[in-house]
Amino acid sequence: MLAFCKKPRYTFYMNEPWNLCDSFHFPVGAAINSWNLDEKDAHHGLLSHFNAFVYENEMKPRFLQPQKGVFTLEKVKALADFGKAANVSLRGHTLLWHQDMPDWFFQGSAPGTLVEPEQLYERIHDHISTVMQAAGNSFGYWDVANERIGDDGTLRHDTFLDICKSDEYLQKAFEYARKAAPAAKLFLNDYCAEFPGSKQDGFFNELARLLEKGTPIDGVGLQGHISLYHPSVQDFKEAIERFASLGLAVHITELDMSFYKEEKEPELSLSNEMLTAQAERYKALFDMFSEEHAKGNLEMVLFWGLSDDCTWLNSFPVKERKNWPLLFDRDLTPKPCLLRLVGK
Ligand code: GLA
C-alpha cells in the first residue's frame, strides 16, 4: 500500500501507511548512502520510517579530503539540504578515525616519516573546521572521533597516539569542533561498551578524564553492533545509565543485530523462529530505550543501515555470509521485528 506523509517542506514517499519513528518519543534514525536520497532509488521509500540520518561511509576523512587541502563536500551539502527540507536530525560521522584517514594525513615532509604533533594538530584543525563549516547548522550532532579505545581499555595504539604520545589530539579535536560549530553536540563514539568489561571501563574513564580537563564533549555514542544472544538487555541498560551518569547525552549510533553467535559460524538458513526471537529482542530493547529516554538518559537511536540486502554484516566478519540484522527484508518489506516495534 502506498501513502504520502507530509513532513514540513518535504514529502516522503512511503511504502507503508505508517512510520516506525512515530512509535517513539525519541528520534529513530538510520545510516544511509547518498544515492538513497534520490527518489528513484529503490530504498528511498524506507527513509520515511526514520527521523534521523547519518552517512554510513561518505563523510569519513578519506572521502572528504582525499588530498591535502582538496575537499569534496557535495555529498555533505546534499545531506544537509535533505535534513533541512525533511526536518530531521543529522549526525556527522566521523571527523577522525584510525581507519579511513587519507594516507597524507600522517605523512611528514621526508618520505617514510611521520608528521610532527604541531603539524598534525593543524591538519586536524583544518579538516574539522572546513567540514563542519561546509555542513552548516543542519548537522546537530557530530562524532568528533570514532573508536579511540583499544579492546584492552587503553587509549588505542594507532598513528594518532604514535605521533602525539597522549590524548591531547582528542582534546584539541573537540576544541576545534566546538569553535567551528558552537551549537552542535559533540560525541565520542565506540563499540563493545554496551556491556561490562575493560572496554567499557576504558571508554568511561577516558571520557571522565577528558571532561575533567574541560574538553567540550556533549555526548557518547554506543555503536550497538549486537547479536541475537549478546549483550543482555540489562547489561545494555546499565551501560546507558553508567555513561549518562557522566552528564553526557547518550546515542545508540549503529544498532544492528547479527544472527550469529560465533564469529566464523557457517551461513545459517533463516527460520521463522529466528525472526520471532529477533522481534522479541528488538521489542525488549526498545522498551528499555523508551524507559531510559523517559529518565533523560538516552537521546536518540540509529540503525546501521536500512535493509538486510545492504548491511555491512553480509561481508563482515565473514565474506559473502548472509545476515539479517535490520528491520527490512532483502525485498524491502517490513520484517517481524519492525511489525513488533510498531505494534502491527
Ligand atoms: C564501525 C564504524 C562505522 C562503520 C562500521 C561498519 O562501527 O564506526 O563507521 O564503518 O564499523 O560498517
Side-chain angles (χ1 to χ4, degrees), residues 56-57 60 93 97 146-147 189 223 225 254 304 312:
E56 186 170 356
N57 292 305
K60 290 173 179 167
H93 173 84
W97 191 27
N146 193 28
E147 303 179 348
N189 192 47
Q223 291 186 357
H225 294 296
E254 306 185 18
W304 202 242
W312 71 299

Side-chain angles (χ1 to χ4, degrees), residues 78 103 178 211 237 311 314 317 322 332:
D103 291 340
R178 175 66 90 231
L211 286 168
K237 175 187 164 78
T311 163
N314 288 328
K322 273 193 193 150
L332 314 191

Side-chain angles (χ1 to χ4, degrees), residues 3-306:
F4 289 91
C5 157
K6 283 239 183 277
K7 300 220 173 178
R9 296 170 56 211
Y10 186 86
T11 305
F12 275 110
Y13 173 79
M14 297 178 68
N15 295 326
E16 291 77 30
W18 43 267
N19 268 326
L20 166 69
C21 59
D22 286 347
S23 297
F24 298 97
H25 294 296
F26 50 87
V28 180
I32 58 168
N33 297 293
S34 57
W35 54 89
N36 302 138
L37 298 176
D38 184 341
E39 284 178 22
K40 292 189 284 299
D41 178 72
H43 295 80
H44 183 78
L46 304 185
L47 302 189
S48 65
H49 284 280
F50 303 95
N51 52 7
F53 295 97
V54 58
Y55 274 146
E56 186 170 356
N57 292 305
E58 289 161 286
M59 280 175 63
K60 290 173 179 167
R62 185 156 62 96
F63 302 112
L64 296 190
Q65 199 187 171
Q67 291 164 45
K68 191 168 182 320
V70 179
F71 288 85
T72 49
L73 298 164
E74 296 73 20
K75 289 175 181 171
V76 179
K77 290 182 183 141
L79 186 55
D81 289 346
F82 171 81
K84 224 178 250 164
N87 193 25
V88 293
S89 300
L90 298 181
R91 298 190 94 259
H93 173 84
T94 170
L95 292 163
L96 300 179
W97 191 27
H98 58 291
Q99 288 183 38
D100 282 330
M101 296 307 293
D103 291 340
W104 65 263
F105 208 87
F106 299 116
Q107 272 163 14
S109 40
T113 60
L114 289 175
V115 75
E116 293 298 318
E118 286 310 319
Q119 280 171 293
L120 182 64
Y121 297 149
E122 213 173 284
R123 291 177 187 185
I124 291 175
H125 171 269
D126 293 351
H127 185 77
I128 289 181
S129 22
T130 307
V131 171
M132 290 183 91
Q133 278 158 13
N137 55 12
S138 299
F139 284 78
Y141 311 91
W142 286 87
D143 288 334
V144 173
N146 193 28
E147 303 179 348
R148 296 299 73 222
I149 304 298
D151 292 336
D152 62 357
T154 64
L155 206 58
R156 182 178 287 280
H157 290 264
D158 61 7
T159 322
F160 286 107
L161 193 59
D162 282 347
I163 295 171
C164 304
K165 314 287 181 225
S166 77
D167 62 358
E168 202 181 328
Y169 73 91
L170 265 183
Q171 186 172 357
K172 286 190 182 296
F174 276 91
E175 284 163 4
Y176 302 148
R178 175 66 90 231
K179 226 175 176 175
K185 281 196 182 178
L186 308 179
F187 283 70
L188 194 57
N189 192 47
D190 219 316
Y191 63 89
C192 285
E194 303 84 7
F195 50 91
S198 47
K199 179 72 189 254
Q200 187 187 90
D201 292 342
F203 192 25
F204 182 89
N205 294 336
E206 178 59 20
L207 285 159
R209 244 190 324 269
L210 287 167
L211 286 168
E212 211 174 271
K213 287 196 274 187
T215 313
I217 298 187
D218 304 299
V220 50
L222 303 179
Q223 291 186 357
H225 294 296
I226 62 170
S227 79
L228 203 48
Y229 310 95
H230 179 80
S232 69
V233 175
Q234 183 62 25
D235 279 350
F236 205 148
K237 175 187 164 78
E238 285 168 16
I240 291 171
E241 292 178 353
R242 183 173 189 205
F243 286 103
S245 75
L246 287 167
L248 295 170
V250 177
H251 288 191
I252 311 305
T253 52
E254 306 185 18
L255 185 64
D256 49 21
M257 192 188 293
S258 169
F259 273 15
Y260 293 91
K261 202 181 234 168
E262 307 296 335
E263 217 176 77
K264 302 286 174 200
E265 218 174 318
E267 183 166 302
L268 293 161
S269 40
L270 186 61
S271 68
N272 284 337
E273 288 70 32
M274 285 154 64
L275 289 169
T276 306
Q278 183 180 47
E280 291 314 311
R281 183 153 158 76
Y282 263 133
K283 173 75 173 110
L285 271 174
F286 272 77
D287 284 349
M288 181 272 280
F289 292 158
S290 293
E291 279 168 30
E292 291 306 317
H293 173 71
K295 288 195 241 164
N297 292 333
L298 180 67
E299 193 170 61
M300 134 171 7
V301 177
L302 294 98
F303 286 87
W304 202 242
L306 290 167

